[in-house]
Amino acid sequence: MNLFDPSSWSMMWPLFALSVLGLVFFLERALFLHKGQIRTAEFVEGIKNLARKRRVLEALTVCEETPGPVAAVVKAALMHYREDESRLRGAIQAMALVEIPTLERRLGTIAIIAKIAPVMGLLGTVLSLLNGFALMNQTGPYVNAAGFAGLIQTALVTTAAGLAIAIMAYLAHHFLYGRVRALVHDMEWVGNEMLQFLLVDLPATPPPPAEPGAPSASPTNGKQS
């Protein structure tokens, strides 16, 4: 049996399709998670400076233009900064619950690919062996040893391919899961930081002084006599 005979590779095409699907999902998730990673400490400090100057609208605009879940959590906090602690905490947690499934999307599919690829490879090996033994049965009692060795070699190709795909899928899942956990940790830190800032630090911060030439904020009741 020829090692490069396509008829003996009944499971190689499904394994190839599985590997391409896993590669596409990995690249898409890696690019998505990389786009969502920002310098969290610097970003939060810039938002705090804008909030201290009472430029909340500008801070919301910065959050809109910044990709990633961290900016979304900060935006949710700013949009409820005048409310009490329970409502503010609830808004932050609700936004985190929305963002986490987006981060974890397709990770389960990659994990499934890592689990089923060896099984598909083993199935291909079993099918190839069954086909080979059927051909040997038709040839009679005189079996060529070289042909039998080629049969075993060809049958084991699918098992090796399935194991290789599974190893790469496990590595991809581990890498992406680490990125997701890092982003979730940043979201938790940002949520606590914004909660502390909006409830304690910001109310204690005096408003910025009025700009020179600005109209007086105190109303007048009438003309002086």
Side-chain angles (χ1 to χ4, degrees):
M1 183 174 289
N2 188 1
L3 179 63
F4 300 98
D5 183 9
S7 63
S8 63
W9 289 24
S10 58
M11 293 299 296
M12 286 303 294
W13 287 112
L15 285 172
F16 176 75
L18 202 64
S19 64
V20 172
L21 184 66
L23 179 62
V24 171
F25 283 170
F26 169 73
L27 293 177
E28 187 273 334
R29 287 289 88 191
L31 293 175
F32 177 82
L33 295 175
H34 177 73
K35 184 180 179 181
Q37 285 186 330
I38 60 175
R39 296 181 177 178
T40 305
E42 296 180 6
F43 174 75
V44 172
E45 190 60 33
I47 295 296
K48 287 181 179 180
N49 290 333
L50 293 174
R52 292 188 186 100
K53 299 175 183 178
R54 302 303 190 267
R55 294 156 62 180
V56 179
L57 184 59
E58 185 176 347
L60 288 172
T61 303
V62 173
C63 293
E64 284 281 353
E65 297 175 350
T66 304
V70 172
V73 171
V74 174
K75 178 185 174 183
L78 291 176
M79 292 181 66
H80 298 81
Y81 79 101
R82 293 183 182 273
E83 301 180 5
D84 56 13
E85 180 180 356
S86 61
R87 291 182 178 271
L88 180 58
R89 187 185 300 273
I92 293 174
Q93 292 176 349
M95 181 55 65
L97 292 176
V98 170
E99 292 294 328
I100 290 177
T102 304
L103 297 176
E104 295 177 344
R105 185 182 302 167
R106 297 192 177 93
L107 263 67
T109 305
I110 297 176
I112 291 176
I113 290 175
K115 292 180 180 179
I116 67 174
V119 180
M120 291 180 64
L122 182 60
L123 177 61
T125 297
V126 172
L127 293 177
S128 297
L129 288 175
L130 289 175
N131 184 39
F133 283 126
L135 293 176
M136 291 172 59
N137 188 34
Q138 294 176 2
T139 59
Y142 302 102
V143 179
N144 187 359
F148 182 76
L151 165 67
I152 300 299
Q153 183 181 15
T154 304
L156 291 175
V157 168
T158 54
T159 298
L163 290 174
I165 294 172
I167 291 172
M168 298 305 296
Y170 271 120
L171 292 176
H173 182 269
H174 180 74
F175 173 80
L176 295 176
Y177 184 76
R179 289 293 184 92
V180 169
R181 293 309 306 166
L183 287 173
V184 171
H185 178 269
D186 288 344
M187 291 169 57
E188 293 174 351
W189 178 82
V190 165
N192 293 328
E193 190 74 12
M194 292 302 298
L195 196 65
Q196 172 72 18
F197 173 73
L198 295 176
L199 293 176
V200 179
D201 299 340
L202 184 60
T205 303
E211 298 180 358
S216 175
S218 60
T220 58
N221 295 325
K223 295 182 179 180
Q224 295 180 354
S225 56

